[in-house]
Amino acid sequence: VQLVESGGGSVQAGDSLRLPCAASGSTLSINLIGWHRQAPGERREAVAFITRAGNTNYADSGKGRFTISRDNAKNTIYLQMNSLKPEDTAVYSCYGWVRPTEDSWGQGTQVTVSS
């Protein structure tokens, strides 16, 4: 499975961004797909995930502001981020999990939120 993110950029606090992650390869084998982020000097953290069945899960930091969705026809998931805050500044990476011994990461996309 290959994952390619896009949609990052520099915005002002309160703005919105939508991050697409396009999957290719054995996409039907993906059981869980979503987003992590890592800010400078910080640990990587899970942001939002969606399962094959369509169940979603969000980190507390994004609840009420972030929404993960998918377009199966395009093999693409989206992270809609609203009311962005400076603390949302990070590299956002798409992650796909197939099984314990098989997962994939995208190259990451930078999101910078200025106050």
Side-chain angles (χ1 to χ4, degrees):
V1 176
Q2 294 78 47
L3 304 172
V4 178
E5 309 98 331
S6 59
S10 297
V11 297
Q12 298 291 315
D15 286 350
S16 298
L17 273 177
R18 189 178 75 156
L19 304 182
C21 170
S24 60
S26 302
T27 57
L28 293 178
S29 65
I30 299 174
N31 288 299
L32 179 77
I33 187 167
W35 295 88
H36 283 92
R37 70 183 182 185
Q38 187 167 21
E42 301 290 332
R43 291 185 174 184
R44 187 169 59 202
E45 65 168 340
V47 177
F49 283 87
I50 186 166
T51 69
R52 178 195 294 270
N55 298 312
T56 59
N57 193 279
Y58 298 92
D60 288 342
S61 57
K63 284 182 180 177
R65 299 188 299 126
F66 294 178
T67 303
I68 189 169
S69 62
R70 67 185 180 193
D71 184 333
N72 291 332
K74 295 182 179 180
N75 288 327
T76 300
I77 64 165
Y78 302 93
L79 182 67
Q80 177 67 43
M81 304 187 292
N82 299 328
S83 302
L84 283 163
K85 306 175 182 179
E87 51 263 44
D88 293 319
T89 295
V91 174
Y92 285 71
S93 299
C94 189
Y95 172 75
W97 186 88
V98 175
R99 59 181 64 87
T101 56
E102 183 178 354
D103 59 12
S104 295
W105 289 90
Q107 81 285 357
T109 186
Q110 177 71 45
V111 172
T112 302
V113 185
S114 302
S115 57

